[in-house]
Structures are given as C-alpha cells and as structure tokens.
C-alpha cells in the first residue's frame, strides 16, 4: 500500500485538513521475497519518516501475498524476512504499531462484511487486477477481491491517511466508496480515509523504466550481496550514445533511480556530468551502485542483528498485534451491532 514529513509532499484529496492534528497513518507490504528500492521509497521510507509525528500503523500483508500464489513454508519464511527487513529499515515498534496481518482475524471478518457493500462493477474496473492478469499472474478470486481486503485493512483501524504509490490510488478510492456505501446504510461508523502520494516517488522506475516491481522482474534489491547488486544495476536499460557526447538525464533510467538518493546539489552535479560528455552510461551505473551501497550500509548492519535474534522479532510482532487488536475491536463491535451479527451479545 508509499514521506509524511518532507518539504516535497504531493497531497491528494483533502489531507491538508489534518494539519495540526495527529493522524493515523497506515501502510502494508506483502511478504513476497527480497525488498527492493521501490518498496523502500514507495512505502517504507514514508512510514519511517511519519513515526513520532503521527499514529503510525504498519503491517505485513501475508493474506494479500496468497493472492499471487505464495503459501506454505515459503510464505512463512518470507513473512519473517519481511519483518526483519522492516525493522532494519527503521520501523520502530515503540513509535509504530507493527504486526502481521494474519494475527488479526477480524480483518477477514470485516472483509466479508464489506464484500456485501462492494458492487461487482467497482472491482471489474480495478486496473491493478487487469494489469496483473495481463502480465501472466493467474486470475483467482483472491486477486480479484484484493481491493476489498485492502479496504478492510484500512477501515478496521479508523485510518486517516494511506501513503500509496501511484498505482494504488484506485484501491484507496475503492475503500472510500465501500465505506461511504456502508455508512449510508448503518450510520457514521467507518472513517473515510484519504490517500497521499509524494510526487517525486509516485512511481519508482525499474531496470527497464517501468514501475519497479517483482512482477516485472526489474527490481534492485536492497539487501542483495554487493557484486550481485552491481550486476543487476548494470542491466538498467539506457540509450546508446557515444562516450564523448553529452547525455540526456531527464529520461535516463539510471538518473531517475539515482535522484531518489540525492539532495538538490548532488542531483545538479550529476546532471552536469551527463551534459559534459566524456562519460558513458556505464560510469553512471557504477556511480549509482556506490550510492545505493553506501546509503543502505547502516541498515545492513541492523539487519544482521535481527537475523541473529529472531525470537526478539517474534516478540515485537506479538506486541504489535496486541496493540492493533485493542484499536480494532471497539470498531468491530460497532460494525457487528449495526449489521445484525450480534445475536450472542
């Protein structure tokens, strides 16, 4: 589901109405293997930066991961790996509520209830589903109804803002539509969420210039071994321009990835190197490899600690699930009462 406190925030809808107030900000990421820099800039960094100033909720979306075929021991291992990576990249369990999606069964109960308020046409128009099927991911009900489960993730906790990548905006819009339809029937129970996209990282480009995604096989993994990471970076698609000639930086995949790590002065300096000529795209790829490796150095060291202390990770997740449940249950009780599912009460 992508900085709350930055100078370059692109706000969509009316997020400005929350200024001066503590916001509940929620994000989730699927445990589908190695994290890549698209995951980091598209979601994780924003959540880390939001901590302290906001009521931050971050979860590992292992139910969602099943929509793409992950299951069994693979899913279990990926979930632990994702937890370690999240913590290594700066998620602070003292400042954020951090848990695994499947530890709160209430989200599935709400998913089913919300399904009754979800028109088929709303899901049939979901471009993410159509895009994934077109890319060869097998069509199934979990993939088709993914936006309803995402709506349950958001609405269960009374979320104010959902930081998203550009491709996930429609899913938050669907959650809003479902919540409005539910509230029209049962009263003002569900909070209508807003989405936020930072313009500069709305879509993180991959090796081929498309959105960076495991589905497209065009990712640069964060915690990859250095030589393998360099080998991956060398695969970035670039134009064939003679070494001595100036290069175009505006539409260069190498530059558009590198600028995510650079401040204004550093980006300007790199632009000037492109325009001077005398360097090829291979030189810029080596520069990018060095920038990425140095940027994530402290996170790699932290990751080594958690890899050696997995019991501590499990304790953190259990604590986070307890905190999340305490927030979710009062709202879930209202929903059960309103929908007539309360005969035992």
């Amino acid at each position: 589901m992508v900085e709350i406190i930055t100078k370059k925030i692109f706000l969509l809808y009316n997020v400005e109405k929350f200024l001066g107030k503590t916001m509940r900000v929620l994000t989730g990421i699927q445990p589908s293997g190695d994290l890549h820099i698209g995951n980091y800039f598209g979601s994780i960094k924003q959540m880390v930066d939001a901590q302290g100033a906001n009521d931050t909720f971050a979860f590992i979306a292992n139910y969602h991961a099943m929509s793409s075929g992950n299951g069994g021991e693979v899913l279990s291992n990926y979930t632990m790996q994702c937890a370690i990576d999240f913590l290594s990249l700066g998620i602070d369990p003292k400042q954020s509520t951090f848990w695994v999606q499947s530890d709160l069964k209430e989200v599935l109960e709400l998913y089913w209830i919300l399904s009754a308020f979800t028109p088929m046409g709303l899901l049939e128009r979901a471009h993410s589903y159509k895009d994934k099927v077109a890319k060869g991911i097998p069509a199934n009900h979990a993939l088709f109804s993914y936006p309803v489960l995402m709506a349950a993730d958001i609405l269960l906790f009374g979320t104010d803002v959902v930081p998203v990548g550009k491709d996930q905006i429609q899913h938050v819009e669907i959650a809003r539509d479902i919540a409005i339809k539910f509230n029209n029937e049962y009263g003002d129970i569900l909070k209508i969420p807003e989405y936020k996209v930072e313009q500069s990282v709305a879509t993180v480009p991959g090796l081929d210039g498309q959105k960076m995604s495991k589905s497209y096989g065009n990712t640069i993994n964060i915690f990859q071994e250095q030589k393998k990471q360099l080998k991956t970076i060398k695969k970035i698609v670039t134009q064939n321009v003679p070494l001595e000639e100036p290069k175009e930086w505006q539409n260069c995949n190498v530059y558009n990835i590198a600028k995510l790590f650079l401040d204004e002065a550093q980006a300007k300096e790199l632009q000037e190197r492109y325009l001077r000529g005398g360097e090829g795209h291979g030189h810029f790829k080596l520069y990018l490899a060095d920038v990425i490796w140095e940027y994530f150095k402290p996170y790699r060291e932290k990751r080594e600690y958690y890899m050696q202390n997995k019991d501590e990770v499990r304790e953190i997740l259990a604590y986070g699930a307890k905190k999340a449940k305490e927030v979710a249950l009062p709202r879930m009780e209202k929903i059960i009462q309103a929908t007539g599912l309360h005969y035992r009460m």
Side-chain angles (χ1 to χ4, degrees), residues 57-59 93 96-100 103-104 157 313-327:
F57 278 55
F59 69 96
S96 295
T97 301
F98 178 51
W99 77 102
V100 176
D103 283 340
L104 264 73
F157 302 102
V313 176
R314 295 184 183 96
E315 290 175 4
I316 289 171
L317 294 173
Y319 173 67
K322 182 176 181 292
K323 287 172 61 181
K325 187 180 285 286
E326 289 172 354
V327 173

Side-chain angles (χ1 to χ4, degrees), residues 93-340:
K94 295 179 181 178
Q95 296 189 81
S96 295
T97 301
F98 178 51
W99 77 102
V100 176
Q101 185 184 31
S102 62
D103 283 340
L104 264 73
K105 306 303 180 186
E106 289 79 10
V107 73
L108 290 184
E109 185 175 9
L110 182 56
Y111 159 73
W112 182 252
I113 292 170
L114 295 180
S115 294
F117 296 87
T118 308
M120 289 293 291
L122 192 63
L123 297 182
E124 288 168 348
R125 292 191 293 273
H127 53 71
S128 179
Y129 170 77
K130 291 184 284 188
D131 181 61
K132 288 180 178 178
V133 171
K135 294 293 183 181
I137 296 177
N140 56 50
H141 178 264
L143 191 64
F144 182 71
S145 63
Y146 180 108
V148 187
L149 181 55
M150 182 169 166
D153 293 323
I154 296 167
L155 300 174
L156 183 60
F157 302 102
T159 303
D160 292 311
V161 177
V162 185
V164 292
K166 191 174 176 182
D167 61 315
Q168 289 283 320
I169 291 174
Q170 188 186 38
H171 286 165
V172 183
E173 290 177 327
I174 289 172
R176 289 171 56 87
D177 289 343
I178 294 171
I180 290 169
K181 191 174 178 66
F182 181 94
N183 286 350
N184 286 341
E185 180 73 21
Y186 293 117
D188 189 18
I189 295 176
L190 300 177
K191 181 174 288 189
I192 309 302
E194 312 285 351
Y195 61 73
K196 182 199 74 76
V197 180
E198 186 188 356
Q199 191 175 31
S200 62
V201 294
T203 300
V204 177
L207 304 179
D208 55 0
Q210 292 189 90
K211 175 201 170 187
M212 187 173 289
S213 171
K214 295 184 186 75
S215 301
Y216 304 152
N218 63 357
T219 62
I220 300 173
N221 294 338
I222 294 172
F223 294 116
Q224 198 169 22
E225 189 270 331
Q226 188 173 17
K227 288 184 179 179
K228 290 183 179 179
Q229 190 176 81
L230 175 59
K231 186 176 180 180
T232 299
I233 290 169
K234 286 182 176 180
K235 295 178 182 177
I236 296 174
V237 176
T238 56
Q239 294 180 331
N240 187 14
V241 182
L243 182 70
E244 66 276 4
E245 291 187 11
K247 314 295 184 299
E248 181 185 84
W249 54 267
Q250 291 89 339
N251 296 312
C252 177
N253 294 327
V254 177
Y255 174 83
N256 286 329
I257 295 172
K259 70 180 182 181
L260 299 170
F261 298 88
L262 306 178
D263 60 27
E264 187 174 346
Q266 291 169 326
K268 184 67 176 176
E269 182 182 352
L270 182 57
Q271 292 171 18
E272 291 171 353
R273 287 175 60 183
Y274 270 80
L275 295 175
R276 275 199 302 267
E279 291 185 276
H281 287 104
H283 294 94
F284 300 130
K285 290 177 182 179
L286 292 174
Y287 169 77
L288 174 61
D290 288 341
V291 167
I292 292 175
W293 188 255
E294 285 303 309
Y295 184 93
F296 289 110
K297 181 179 178 179
Y299 304 116
R300 289 194 301 273
E301 293 171 354
K302 197 172 181 181
R303 189 173 187 264
E304 275 299 311
Y305 170 81
Y306 284 118
M307 288 291 290
Q308 301 300 320
N309 294 275
K310 291 183 179 179
D311 283 344
E312 182 176 336
V313 176
R314 295 184 183 96
E315 290 175 4
I316 289 171
L317 294 173
Y319 173 67
K322 182 176 181 292
K323 287 172 61 181
K325 187 180 285 286
E326 289 172 354
V327 173
L329 285 181
R331 182 167 287 100
M332 200 67 217
E333 289 173 3
K334 290 181 181 179
I335 293 168
I336 290 171
Q337 285 278 354
T339 54

